[in-house]
Amino acid sequence: MPRGPAKKKTEDTTSQSLESKLWATADKLRGHLDAADYKHVVLGLIFLKYISDRFAQRHAEIVREEAGAYAEDRDEYTAEGVFWVPLSGRWDMVQAAAKQPDIGKRIDEAMTEIERENPHLKNILPKGYARPTLDQRRLGELVDLIGTIGLGTAEHQARDTLGRVYEYFLGMFASAEGKRGGEFYTPASVVRVLVTMLAPYKGRIYDPCCGSGGMFVQSEKFIEAHGGKVGDISVYGEESNPNTWKLALMNLAIRGIEADLGPEAADTFHKDLHPDLRADYILANPPFNISDWGGDLLRDDKRWQYGIPPAGNANFAWVQHMVHHLAPYGIAGFVLANGSMSSNTSGEGEIRKNLIEADLVDCMVAMPGQLFYSTPIPVCLWFLAKNRDDGRGMAGKELFERTGEVLFIDARNMGFMADRTHRELSDEDIQKIADTYHNWRGDGDGEYADIPGFCKAASLDEIRKNGHVLTPGRYVGAAAKDEDDEPFEEKMARLTKELSEQLAEGRRLEEEMRKNFRVLGYEL
C-alpha cells in the first residue's frame, strides 16, 4: 500500500502562523456580531478575493501571450476554469472603497454582478454587507486585512493557502459556535480517518449530508498525496441547510472540485436529489439522534430494506439510505453516536442484527471523546461494504474475502488535547488505524494480527453470542500488560525508599514556605 511521507502536526508552521494571525485579526473585527452570521461575511470576502485574484492572474497571462488583444474576452477565462469577474467585482475596486461609508453596498453590488455573470454562482454568494447591524468601519478594516494576502496567486496556490485559510476559518467558526458548529463542520482528523480507510482513488463519491464539503476536500487531498488524479472521481452531495449548502459550493469552487450538490438545498430523506446514484464510496457525518426527521411520513419507503427506522431517531434511516446508494462493490464510512452500536430500542437492535446477518458490516471503530465541537461524547465510525468476497482496494490490490468476519478497532485512548476542550488525532494515530484496516482486508503493506486492547477480527458467531452488539470494547479485550520481572521484596524496598524521599522533600518545602511567610509577618 503506497504511502506518502507522514505529515506531522507541526507541518508548515509559517502557513499555520499566517492562518492564526488572520483569524485573530478578523475575530477582533467581529465586534458584537454573532459568529454564525460573521462567518458568512468573512468567508464570502475570502471567496471574492480568491476569484478576483485568479481573474487577475489569468488577465496578466493573456496580456503577456496575446498583447492584451483578448484581455476582456470572457471565453479566455471560462475555458481555463476561471470565473469571469466584472469590473465592479474586482478586488482592487472593492479595496479602494474600503474606507468609504457605503463599502457594504459596494460589496453587495459586486456579489450580485458576479452571480449575474456566472450562472453557476447564482444565489450562492452571501449578501447583506450593507445591513445596519454590520459596522461599516470594521467591514472596511476586514477588507483591508483580507487584501494583505495574495490568495489566488500562483505562489500561494501552490501552497494551497486559500484553501487552508478557508478550512481553518471554518474550524474556528465551528469552535466559536459550539454545538451549532457541528452542523456544518466535521473535525479534520475525523474526516482523515474516514478518507484514509476508504482510500477513494477513483469512482463516484457521495455524502448525503455534506455540510461545508470537508469530506470532498480531504478526498481530493488523499488522491493528490497518493499520485492520483482528482478528475478520476465524481462528487455528489446533498445538504439541507441553505447557508451551509452555499458554504460547500464556495469551498469546492475554491479547490477546483466539480461537484453535483443538486440545484438547491434539500432534505435527503424527503427529497433525494440523487435517487438513481449508486456510489463507490460514501462518506458522511449525519446529525446525531435527530428526532424530527419526518419518519412517520416514510414508513413504506423502499430504502428500509433491513427494518423500519424509528420515527424518534434517524440514525438507522441514515444507515439504510447509504446502503441503498452503494454500488455493487461500494463501501461506506460514516460517523454515528455510540448508542447505534448497542441500542435495542424501537427496533434499532433488529435493524442492526439484519445488517450484520446480511454481511454488510466491515469494520467498527470506537473513537475518543472531545473530538467534536458539537458534543464532548465519544462517537464511533461504521464501515459497510457490499460483496465482501471480492473487489480491489488500494493500488489495485485484490482484497481478501472477509465474509462472516468484522474488524473491531478501539481507538478511545488515542489522540492529544489540542486545547482545553478539544482532542485531535495525530498523523501517527490516523495511520495506525488505517494500516490496521488495510492489512486486515488485504491491501496493506503488512500482515494483520489481533492486538489485545486495540483490534480484533471477530467471527459472525462471536457477534451473535454478544447479541449483535458492535461495541469494539466487547471484542478487543484488555491491552497486554508489560511483564514485571522485579521480585516483590525488591520492588517494595525501592518504592518505600522513593516514597520516603518524596515525603522528606515535601517537609522541606513546607518549612521553606513557613519561613517565607514569617518574613512577611505571618505565621502558619
Side-chain angles (χ1 to χ4, degrees):
M1 177 173 160
R3 300 285 186 204
K7 298 180 181 178
K8 306 298 183 185
K9 59 179 179 286
T10 54
E11 177 190 21
D12 202 349
T13 54
T14 302
S15 181
Q16 184 63 37
S17 174
L18 168 67
E19 294 152 22
S20 58
K21 285 178 181 177
L22 281 170
W23 169 259
T25 307
D27 196 42
K28 285 180 183 177
L29 295 174
R30 175 157 67 99
H32 299 293
L33 199 64
D34 186 84
D37 294 326
Y38 191 55
K39 73 170 178 283
H40 298 291
V41 173
V42 176
L43 296 175
L45 287 176
I46 291 176
F47 184 78
L48 177 61
K49 177 67 163 65
Y50 172 75
I51 64 172
S52 184
D53 279 9
R54 286 287 289 115
F55 179 89
Q57 181 187 358
R58 178 60 184 150
H59 184 277
E61 291 172 356
I62 296 170
V63 170
R64 188 167 58 249
E65 296 167 2
E66 308 288 345
Y70 301 100
E72 295 299 318
D73 184 342
R74 177 196 302 270
D75 292 342
E76 291 288 338
Y77 297 86
T78 56
E80 297 295 324
V82 176
F83 290 110
W84 171 262
V85 182
L87 187 62
S88 63
R90 297 174 192 175
W91 188 261
D92 54 353
M93 298 290 289
V94 172
Q95 189 166 2
K99 301 292 192 295
Q100 300 301 316
D102 64 343
I103 178 60
K105 178 173 177 288
R106 297 186 188 215
I107 294 173
D108 283 340
E109 290 173 350
M111 295 291 194
T112 300
E113 281 296 311
I114 290 171
E115 284 189 341
R116 183 179 295 121
E117 297 289 344
N118 300 273
H120 289 311
L121 296 177
K122 187 177 181 181
N123 298 324
I124 292 175
L125 303 186
K127 317 288 193 312
Y129 287 89
R131 62 185 183 272
T133 54
L134 186 56
D135 185 295
Q136 298 297 292
R137 179 186 60 80
R138 290 177 186 268
L139 176 60
E141 292 180 23
L142 182 62
V143 169
D144 283 335
L145 170 68
I146 293 173
T148 61
I149 177 170
L151 298 175
T153 65
E155 175 190 355
H156 286 89
Q157 277 181 347
R159 295 173 56 212
D160 195 24
T161 304
L162 173 72
R164 293 180 65 153
V165 169
Y166 196 96
E167 187 176 359
Y168 184 83
F169 274 36
L170 278 172
M172 295 304 291
F173 277 121
S175 179
E177 292 185 48
K179 185 174 182 179
R180 283 187 300 174
E183 296 175 1
F184 65 86
Y185 182 81
T186 303
S189 61
V190 176
V191 180
R192 286 180 58 207
V193 173
L194 288 170
V195 171
T196 310
M197 290 180 71
L198 290 190
Y201 272 109
K202 59 176 62 178
R204 297 173 296 274
I205 299 178
Y206 174 52
D207 184 345
C209 42
C210 66
S212 54
M215 299 288 184
F216 304 135
V217 170
Q218 288 294 336
S219 295
E220 177 220 27
K221 290 182 179 180
F222 178 89
I223 292 166
E224 291 183 338
H226 291 79
K229 297 178 181 178
V230 176
D232 288 341
I233 62 170
S234 301
V235 173
Y236 300 87
E238 187 162 352
E239 170 57 42
S240 61
N241 184 299
N243 289 327
T244 304
W245 179 73
K246 294 174 184 179
L247 284 180
L249 288 167
M250 288 193 293
N251 194 12
L252 298 178
I254 285 170
R255 301 279 185 172
I257 299 174
E258 293 187 14
D260 181 356
L261 305 188
E264 60 189 350
D267 184 306
T268 302
F269 292 132
H270 296 271
K271 190 176 182 180
D272 188 349
L273 297 179
H274 308 287
D276 300 320
L277 173 67
R278 295 299 178 265
D280 300 293
Y281 304 97
I282 297 179
L283 302 99
N285 173 27
F288 300 159
N289 302 320
I290 57 173
S291 58
D292 56 346
W293 63 283
D296 284 335
L297 303 175
L298 299 170
R299 306 300 286 172
D300 299 322
D301 196 281
K302 64 182 180 181
R303 290 171 286 187
W304 315 149
Q305 296 295 307
Y306 303 93
I308 300 173
N313 192 316
N315 285 348
F316 282 94
W318 285 114
V319 173
Q320 294 189 83
H321 173 85
M322 287 184 265
V323 172
H324 173 75
H325 278 288
L326 278 177
Y329 287 93
I331 183 167
F334 49 89
V335 185
L336 278 186
N338 271 358
S340 64
M341 297 187 289
S342 58
S343 170
N344 287 310
T345 60
S346 304
E348 289 185 329
E350 190 65 22
I351 298 173
R352 185 176 59 251
K353 173 186 173 182
N354 292 337
L355 291 166
I356 295 168
E357 294 294 340
D359 206 37
L360 285 166
V361 181
D362 205 38
C363 177
M364 299 295 300
V365 182
M367 300 289 274
Q370 296 180 277
L371 289 172
F372 284 76
Y373 297 110
S374 53
T375 175
I377 64 172
V379 299
C380 61
L381 304 182
W382 286 61
F383 293 87
L384 306 182
K386 283 194 170 182
N387 295 315
R388 300 196 302 144
D389 59 343
D390 198 359
R392 294 197 174 275
M394 292 188 63
K397 289 185 179 180
E398 189 170 341
L399 301 180
F400 294 152
E401 181 175 336
R402 312 184 303 285
T403 54
E405 190 173 85
V406 176
L407 177 64
F408 291 93
I409 298 176
D410 191 343
R412 289 177 296 174
N413 295 322
M414 286 185 156
F416 63 94
M417 295 304 294
D419 56 43
R420 188 175 55 84
T421 58
H422 295 128
R423 178 178 294 274
E424 291 182 9
L425 296 173
S426 69
D427 292 349
E428 290 76 14
D429 292 333
I430 294 169
Q431 203 65 61
K432 180 178 180 181
I433 296 169
D435 284 347
T436 300
Y437 178 60
H438 287 292
N439 288 341
W440 170 73
R441 73 176 196 169
D443 62 343
D445 286 337
E447 296 292 326
Y448 172 79
D450 291 342
I451 301 175
F454 177 64
C455 64
K456 168 70 182 292
S459 68
L460 187 53
D461 283 340
E462 189 173 352
I463 296 170
R464 288 182 183 126
K465 290 175 184 176
N466 280 278
H468 293 91
V469 169
L470 294 175
T471 307
R474 285 210 180 192
Y475 301 93
V476 302
K481 294 183 179 179
D482 294 333
E483 290 188 14
D484 188 354
D485 297 328
E486 187 176 12
F488 177 77
E489 294 79 7
E490 292 181 16
K491 175 180 280 191
M492 283 302 297
R494 176 176 60 79
L495 293 176
T496 302
K497 180 183 178 184
E498 290 178 4
L499 179 60
S500 177
E501 292 171 351
Q502 290 167 356
L503 290 172
E505 178 65 10
R507 288 191 292 271
R508 186 188 69 77
L509 292 172
E510 180 183 354
E511 183 57 35
E512 197 69 32
M513 289 174 63
R514 290 179 182 276
K515 287 180 182 178
N516 291 336
F517 271 90
R518 282 196 287 271
V519 170
L520 296 172
Y522 297 93
E523 191 70 40
L524 290 178

